[in-house]
C-alpha cells in the first residue's frame, strides 16, 4: 500500500516538476524501466497479472461501452476532459470487457465490486494505450525512442494522466475497503457466504490487476509526456 501511495505522489509531481527533466535523464529513466520490466520477478508477476486479465477482462465488446465504464467513476470535470482523448487513443484498439460477478445482495460486497470495476476498466484500457511505448522501451537497451510516432497524440496523453492519478488514489481506497468487506463475510450464513466469497475473490484479483497496471502505466505515460516535451514534440 505504501508503494502505491508513493507512485501516486510521484505521478502528482510529474504534472509539474518532472517536466524539467532533460532528454538524457529521461533516456536513463527508460533504461532503468527496462531493467525493472524485464527482471525475472517482474516478468513472473506480469504473467500472473495477464492470466487474471484474460479471465475477468477478456477481449471483446464495444470500445464505446468500455470508455463509458471508465469515465463513470471520474469527477464531472475530469470526465469531460478525458472523453475525446480516450476515443482518440483507444478507437482502433481491441476492447476488453469487465466481467463482473453477479450481485450478492450484500451492500459492502456489491459496493466494492461496483467501485473497482470502472477502475479496472481504466487500468486494462490504458495498459493497451501504452503497450507500444512499453515495447519500445523493452526492445531498445540503450533507452533510445523514436518519439515522433507518438507526437500526434501528445495532447491526448497529457489529458489522461490526471485520470490515472485519480484512479490510482481510488484503487488504494478500494484496497482498504477490501479489508472491511472480508471481515463482513465472516458472519454470513453458508448460503450467503458462497456468492459473497466469489465476489470478494473477484475483487481481490481486480484490485491486484488495477494497482499493478496503473503503477506501470503511469510511469510509462509520465516518461512519454516528459520526453515529448523535452524533445520539442509537445
Amino acid at each position: 500500500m505504501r508503494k502505491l501511495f508513493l507512485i501516486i505522489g510521484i505521478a502528482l509531481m510529474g504534472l509539474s516538476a518532472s517536466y524539467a527533466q532533460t532528454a538524457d535523464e529521461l533516456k536513463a529513466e527508460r533504461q532503468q524501466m527496462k531493467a525493472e520490466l524485464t527482471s525475472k520477478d517482474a516478468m513472473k508477476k506480469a504473467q500472473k497479472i495477464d492470466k487474471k486479465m484474460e479471465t475477468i477482462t477478456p477481449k471483446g465488446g464495444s470500445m464505446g461501452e468500455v470508455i463509458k465504464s471508465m469515465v463513470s467513476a471520474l469527477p464531472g470535470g475530469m470526465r469531460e476532459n478525458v472523453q475525446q482523448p480516450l476515443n482518440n487513443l483507444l478507437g482502433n484498439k481491441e476492447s476488453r470487457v469487465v466481467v463482473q460477478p453477479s450481485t450478492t445482495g450484500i451492500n459492502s460486497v456489491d459496493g466494492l465490486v461496483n467501485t473497482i470495476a470502472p477502475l479496472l476498466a481504466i487500468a486494462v484500457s490504458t495498459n493497451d494505450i501504452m503497450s507500444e511505448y512499453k515495447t519500445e522501451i523493452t526492445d531498445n537497451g540503450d533507452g533510445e525512442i523514436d518519439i515522433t510516432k507518438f507526437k500526434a497524440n501528445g495532447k491526448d496523453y497529457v489529458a489522461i494522466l490526471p485520470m490515472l492519478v485519480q484512479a490510482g488514489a481510488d484503487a488504494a481506497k478500494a484496497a482498504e475497503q477490501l479489508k472491511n468487506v472480508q471481515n463482513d463475510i465472516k458472519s454470513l450464513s453458508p448460503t450467503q457466504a458462497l456468492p459473497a466469497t466469489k465476489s470478494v475473490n473477484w475483487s481481490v484479483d481486480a484490485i491486484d490487476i488495477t494497482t499493478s497496471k496503473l503503477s506501470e502505466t503511469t510511469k510509462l505515460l509520465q516518461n512519454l509526456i516528459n520526453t515529448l516535451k523535452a524533445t520539442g514534440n509537445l
Side-chain angles (χ1 to χ4, degrees), residues 122-141:
I122 291 173
V124 297
S125 296
T126 53
N127 172 71
D128 285 343
I129 289 173
M130 297 307 298
S131 61
E132 183 179 359
Y133 195 63
K134 180 180 177 181
T135 299
E136 289 265 334
I137 289 173
T138 55
D139 286 359
N140 291 280

Side-chain angles (χ1 to χ4, degrees), residues 63-104:
M63 183 55 75
E65 287 301 313
V66 173
I67 293 175
K68 182 179 178 180
S69 174
M70 292 168 68
V71 301
S72 67
L74 300 174
M78 185 180 294
R79 190 182 309 131
E80 296 171 2
N81 291 336
V82 302
Q83 184 83 46
Q84 190 57 50
L86 286 172
N87 282 324
N88 296 341
L89 291 165
L90 289 169
N92 295 323
K93 295 186 179 295
E94 190 173 16
S95 66
R96 285 184 176 273
V97 57
V98 175
V99 182
Q100 294 183 220
S102 301
T103 57
T104 66

Side-chain angles (χ1 to χ4, degrees), residues 157-178:
Y157 292 122
V158 172
I160 69 169
L161 181 56
M163 178 187 71
L164 292 185
V165 176
Q166 180 67 53
D170 291 342
K173 293 177 184 177
E176 287 297 319
Q177 184 182 351
L178 173 63

Side-chain angles (χ1 to χ4, degrees), residues 35-48 216:
E36 293 171 356
L37 290 168
T38 57
S39 70
K40 288 184 179 180
D41 287 345
M43 293 180 71
K44 185 176 181 180
K45 181 178 180 181
Q47 289 176 347
K48 291 181 179 179
E216 179 182 289

